[in-house]
C-alpha cells in the first residue's frame, strides 16, 4: 500500500492507496516540531479505527514546508521500512518537467496539481487551489507546470484584516445573503466572498487571454466548494487532486524502475 503525504503551510494530509482506490484520508495541523514518533502514534491510532488491513510499504511526500520533510522521512524509514520519494528532489522523476525561469523552482504541490488535472482533463488548463495562498497553476498541452499566479489566501486575508484594523472582528468566511451588508460582520463576509470571486474570475480571464485558449478550470482546496456557489467559472471541483497526483508520480517512478 502507498502512503501519500501532502504537506501544506496549514495542514498535512495522509492518504492510503491500496492499488485501486484511496481507503482513507486524514488531516493534521502542519507543525515542523512534530517528531516521527508523534506522527506514527497519531497515524497508527487512526489506522486502528478503520476496517482495513493496512500494510504500508511505499511512501511519497509533497511538502511546501521544507522543515517538516526530515521527520516525515524518518517516519517512513523507521515505521514503514521504506525510503520515501519526495517531489521536487532530484531522485524523484517527474512525468513532465516544469517550464520555469532558469534557476527558479516550482512548489511541489503546484507540479503535482498540474499533472493530476492533466491526467483527468487533458492539457492546457488552470488549477485554482484555495489554500493558505490562493494559487493558479497553469498546465501546458503535455501536462507540465508552465507558471501561474499566487495571491493571499482567504483565511490569511481575513486574519490580516482583523489584526490590522482594531475595530474589525475576525469572522468566518461564508456566502453572504446580499452583497450590501447591514452590519460589520456581513460587510466583511461580502467583501471577502465577492472580492475573491472577482479575483478568481479576473485572473482566469487574464490567463486565458495571454494563452489565447479557452482553458478548463479545476478548483481544489477546502474552500473551493464554497466559492463554487458564486461563480460558474469552474469546470470541476476536486478535493483529492493533490493526492491523486502523488499517486500518479509514484507510479511513474515505479514504471521507470526508480523505486
Amino acid at each position: 500500500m502507498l502512503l501519500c503525504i501532502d504537506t501544506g503551510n496549514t495542514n498535512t494530509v495522509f492518504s492510503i492507496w491500496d492499488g485501486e482506490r484511496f481507503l482513507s484520508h486524514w488531516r493534521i495541523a502542519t507543525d515542523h516540531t512534530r517528531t516521527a514518533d508523534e506522527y506514527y502514534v497519531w497515524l497508527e491510532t487512526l489506522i486502528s479505527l478503520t476496517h482495513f488491513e493496512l500494510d504500508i510499504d511505499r511512501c511519497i511526500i509533497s511538502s511546501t514546508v521544507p522543515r517538516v520533510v526530515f521527520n516525515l522521512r524518518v517516519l517512513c524509514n523507521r515505521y514503514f521500512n521504506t525510503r520515501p520519494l519526495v517531489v521536487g528532489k532530484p531522485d524523484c522523476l517527474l512525468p513532465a518537467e516544469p517550464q520555469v525561469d532558469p534557476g527558479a523552482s516550482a512548489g511541489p504541490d503546484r507540479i503535482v496539481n498540474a499533472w493530476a488535472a492533466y491526467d483527468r482533463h487533458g492539457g492546457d488548463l488552470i488549477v485554482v487551489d484555495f489554500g493558505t495562498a490562493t494559487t493558479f497553476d497553469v498546465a501546458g498541452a503535455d501536462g507540465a507546470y508552465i507558471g501561474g499566479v499566487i495571491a493571499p489566501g482567504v483565511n490569511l486575508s481575513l486574519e490580516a484584516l482583523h489584526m490590522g484594523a482594531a475595530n474589525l472582528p475576525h469572522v468566518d468566511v461564508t456566502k453572504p445573503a446580499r452583497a450590501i451588508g447591514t452590519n460589520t460582520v456581513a460587510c466583511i463576509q461580502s467583501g471577502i466572498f465577492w472580492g475573491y470571486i472577482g479575483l478568481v474570475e479576473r485572473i482566469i480571464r487574464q490567463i486565458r487571454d495571454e494563452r489565447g485558449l479557452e482553458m478548463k478550470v479545476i478548483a481544489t482546496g477546502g474552500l473551493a466548494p464554497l466559492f463554487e456557489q458564486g461563480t460558474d467559472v469552474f469546470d470541476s471541483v476536486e478535493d483529492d487532486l493533490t493526492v491523486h497526483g502523488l499517486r500518479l508520480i509514484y507510479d511513474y517512478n515505479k514504471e521507470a524502475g526508480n523505486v
Side-chain angles (χ1 to χ4, degrees):
M1 290 183 175
L2 173 65
L3 176 62
C4 298
I5 306 174
D6 169 31
T7 298
N9 289 292
T10 304
N11 293 311
T12 298
V13 177
F14 291 74
S15 300
I16 297 176
W17 173 261
D18 72 349
E20 296 182 357
R21 62 192 176 108
F22 281 104
L23 299 178
S24 297
H25 301 281
W26 296 302
R27 187 179 300 267
I28 192 171
T30 299
D31 180 358
H32 72 272
T33 66
R34 186 173 286 113
T35 67
D37 302 325
E38 290 173 312
Y39 278 120
Y40 180 73
V41 169
W42 171 81
L43 190 58
E44 197 274 337
T45 300
L46 290 172
I47 288 174
S48 69
L49 297 176
T50 70
H51 301 293
F52 305 110
E53 290 293 329
L54 302 182
D55 184 17
I56 297 168
D57 58 357
R58 300 172 291 159
C59 299
I60 184 168
I61 299 168
S62 168
S63 177
T64 59
V65 186
R67 296 174 72 184
V68 307
V69 173
F70 174 78
N71 283 327
L72 290 173
R73 283 185 183 272
V74 174
L75 168 71
C76 298
N77 289 328
R78 180 179 299 166
Y79 291 105
F80 304 123
N81 194 31
T82 184
R83 178 173 173 269
L85 282 176
V86 180
V87 179
K89 299 299 183 182
D91 60 347
C92 181
L93 304 178
L94 298 175
E97 289 296 321
Q99 299 175 24
V100 295
D101 292 341
S105 61
D109 57 329
R110 309 185 77 180
I111 297 169
V112 172
N113 283 347
W115 188 253
Y118 169 77
D119 177 71
R120 288 177 170 172
H121 303 281
D124 289 319
L125 51 78
I126 304 165
V127 178
V128 183
D129 189 350
F130 292 91
T132 304
T134 300
T135 59
F136 299 74
D137 305 323
V138 182
D142 61 352
Y145 171 82
I146 62 172
V149 176
I150 300 175
V154 176
N155 287 315
L156 192 63
S157 295
L158 277 169
E159 187 64 26
L161 189 63
H162 171 60
M163 295 295 292
N167 288 330
L168 296 183
H170 182 77
V171 303
D172 294 328
V173 60
T174 187
K175 182 181 179 181
R178 298 180 299 171
I180 301 174
T182 54
N183 58 71
T184 301
V185 170
C187 290
I188 295 173
Q189 289 174 332
S190 181
I192 290 294
F193 184 83
W194 293 114
Y196 270 85
I197 291 294
L199 179 146
V200 167
E201 291 180 342
R202 184 64 183 90
I203 289 177
I204 287 171
R205 184 164 73 249
Q206 185 67 28
I207 292 172
R208 285 171 166 168
D209 288 346
E210 289 184 8
R211 296 280 291 162
L213 298 168
E214 189 61 31
M215 308 166 75
K216 284 188 176 180
V217 181
I218 314 303
T220 190
L223 291 175
L226 172 65
F227 285 96
E228 184 186 22
Q229 299 174 31
T231 182
D232 60 1
V233 74
F234 302 135
D235 293 284
S236 180
V237 175
E238 302 171 10
D239 61 357
D240 65 339
L241 194 66
T242 306
V243 293
H244 175 66
L246 285 173
R247 194 265 298 177
L248 293 173
I249 291 174
Y250 189 92
D251 286 349
Y252 178 80
N253 280 264
K254 184 177 180 181
E255 291 170 5
N258 193 43
V259 290

